[in-house]
Amino acid sequence: MSELVSTRIRSTAGKLGLPHLAEAINEYIRRAGEGKMGYLDFLDLVLSEELAVRDDRRIRQGLRLSKLPHHKTLDEYDFSFQPDLDPHKVKDLATLSFVEAKANAALLGPPGVGKTHVTVALAVAACRAGYSIYFTSLDDMVRNLRAAEAAGRLLNKLGTYLRPSVLVVDEVGYQPLERAEANLVFQVISKRYEKGSIILTSNKTFSEWGQVFGDEVIAINGPSYRLKNRLAVIERNTNVA
Ligand code: ADP
Ligand code: MG
């Protein structure tokens, strides 16, 4: 292909906001020549690659903005370790129909059973599906809202927790809230109501803090996965002894 044409394509692709095409044009031409592609297949290749690159960029940026503590998936979750947890319930949540419906979900259980893991996995799936995500512990949210309130910037800070399609509130109920703090949390919940989803985790049972949040409730009541490894070490050590 003449240099002139490829230079023009690069410039046009840039103006159209197709940066990958602008970069990869020579590679496309090479692949097209190798594969003896027809026009249709060639256009299909160029457009689907551009879309894949764009999706990838969007997901990476979404995950960065989400403040998720890690990006574990449900594939990494060993359901056989929690026989009381119904995998169907979790997989049902993973279809994200509750996010679509702007409903909420709560994962309840003692420490170490994988509440945060499952929640993060749902949030990663939602991010991939195009929803915006924000992860916070309840304590961090309360602390940030209080500080913002004291600085006269509450409205602005509330936006952080109201804007994302999915707000993950981790570790609800670990610390008791003062009245003013509970009021701030209530503002977030009531303003998000039917506008966006909340996924929360708590070590409290549902009845302990009332039906404020919940539509979908999943209780994981089995043993701690963290303790599993520790127990294995202890067992190994006792066996050796
Ligand atoms: P919780 O939030 O309930 O306290 P986490 O989600 O933080 O528990 O889980 C603790 C650690 O154990 C994490 O590293 C998590 O990935 C892992 N984990 C917990 N349960 C499982 C499981 N069933 N399969 C695989 N990893 C698990
Ligand atoms: Mg946790």
Side-chain angles (χ1 to χ4, degrees), residues 70 72 76-79 81-82 109-118 170 174 201 225-226:
H70 52 73
K72 289 191 180 173
E76 295 167 79
Y77 190 79
D78 179 4
F79 283 94
F81 190 75
Q82 294 294 353
V113 294
K115 301 180 299 295
T116 301
H117 182 140
V118 172
D170 199 25
Y174 281 69
T201 78
Y225 197 82
R226 289 194 202 103

Side-chain angles (χ1 to χ4, degrees), residues 79-138:
F79 283 94
S80 69
F81 190 75
Q82 294 294 353
D84 280 354
L85 173 62
D86 181 357
H88 292 112
K89 266 192 166 180
V90 177
K91 287 180 182 148
D92 192 42
L93 286 181
T95 65
L96 303 175
S97 56
F98 79 102
V99 175
E100 171 78 14
K102 300 176 170 148
N104 304 324
L107 285 99
L108 313 181
V113 294
K115 301 180 299 295
T116 301
H117 182 140
V118 172
T119 303
V120 165
L122 295 172
V124 170
C127 179
R128 299 192 76 85
Y131 294 102
S132 54
I133 315 294
Y134 194 79
F135 177 100
T136 177
S137 70
L138 183 76

